[in-house]
Amino acid sequence: MKQRSLATVPGQVTTFPFRELELFDHWEGIPWEKYPCWKRWSSMDSAKMKETPLEMFQNYVTESDTVPEAIGFAPGAIFATRKETIQAHSKAYYQRLMDNMFLGEMAHVNPETGHYMERFWLAMFNPSEYIQYSPSDIATTQRNEAGQLAKGKWYRTPTGSAVDLGATRRGEIISSPITALTDAPSTPESDLSSMEDEYAFAEKPTQS
């Protein structure tokens, strides 16, 4: 993980652990009840946000009136990026984000805006790679330079599923093919094996 983090170039976002990027397009609100696999989070005491994800995204992340079709995100929001990428936004930008996402009514151990930001981070740091505004934006390749699913090819968690199949891609091949805005094939087993080797130290407990 450290080596991959240090290899991150300006403008790039390196995500961890080994799992596919997922698609988010629930701009009117996260429909928790449709996703049993998210029950752990939706059943917790939380501070509900009055504004929709779209309102928060447009007002504090992109500051744009254009509505994206979808964005790609890393579940868990574990990632690495460079100082230059972070500093591309001003201190005032981050302060507004903090004030409106996590303070006031959202000053809670489990604010719904935290789940919003989990989905917004990549788009905030690299909008050209992780925001899809129209079908013409969908990448012609399956993966980007970081090895992630390319723009518009992101995995969509199926409604009604008790298991988040995207999570099971860490160290093994999922039983169902990846489908997103287009029919995207699963990663070849040979590619998975090479990636598994890189993450092996994070998968196995240290022997004493």
Side-chain angles (χ1 to χ4, degrees):
M1 182 179 290
K2 180 180 178 180
Q3 292 175 335
R4 280 180 55 81
S5 297
L6 293 174
T8 303
V9 300
Q12 187 181 68
V13 184
T14 302
T15 52
F16 306 97
F18 179 52
R19 61 173 293 163
E20 300 292 13
L21 296 188
E22 297 193 18
L23 176 150
F24 178 74
D25 61 357
H26 297 300
W27 295 115
E28 296 307 310
I30 301 176
W32 298 102
E33 71 283 356
K34 294 184 178 180
Y35 294 88
C37 58
W38 297 345
K39 185 177 180 180
R40 174 183 177 185
W41 309 112
S42 62
S43 62
M44 292 173 61
D45 178 43
S46 65
K48 299 298 183 182
M49 188 61 185
K50 297 176 182 177
E51 285 82 2
T52 65
L54 179 61
E55 290 172 321
M56 301 303 288
F57 189 73
Q58 290 182 321
N59 291 337
Y60 306 113
V61 179
T62 63
E63 302 176 324
S64 168
D65 293 332
T66 306
V67 180
E69 285 194 355
I71 58 177
F73 75 99
I78 303 174
F79 61 87
T81 194
R82 291 284 293 268
K83 176 178 70 174
E84 297 91 333
T85 305
I86 296 171
Q87 293 180 342
H89 294 297
S90 67
K91 181 178 179 180
Y93 172 92
Y94 289 110
Q95 189 62 59
R96 287 186 69 227
L97 202 63
M98 175 67 75
D99 291 344
N100 291 278
M101 289 282 195
F102 301 107
L103 299 180
E105 294 182 356
M106 291 296 105
H108 190 279
V109 68
N110 183 32
E112 189 171 27
T113 46
H115 299 284
Y116 289 6
M117 279 307 303
E118 177 185 10
R119 291 152 174 80
F120 294 169
W121 284 115
L122 302 192
M124 186 178 84
F125 287 130
N126 191 343
S128 63
E129 180 64 43
Y130 302 110
I131 302 180
Q132 182 207 326
Y133 285 105
S134 68
S136 63
D137 286 341
I138 298 175
T140 57
T141 58
Q142 179 64 19
R143 295 190 176 274
N144 60 24
E145 293 182 357
Q148 303 157 338
L149 288 177
K151 184 190 292 189
K153 302 291 182 74
W154 307 304
Y155 172 75
R156 184 192 291 275
T157 299
T159 58
S161 176
V163 177
D164 181 354
L165 295 179
T168 66
R169 292 192 62 81
R170 189 180 71 170
E172 62 182 34
I173 300 175
I174 62 173
S175 58
S176 302
I178 301 168
T179 56
L181 294 180
T182 60
D183 293 330
S186 297
T187 306
E189 186 170 2
S190 58
D191 291 347
L192 287 170
S193 297
S194 62
M195 293 181 187
E196 287 169 30
D197 290 341
E198 186 171 359
Y199 287 89
F201 71 92
E203 299 292 328
K204 301 173 183 178
T206 302
Q207 297 295 325
S208 57

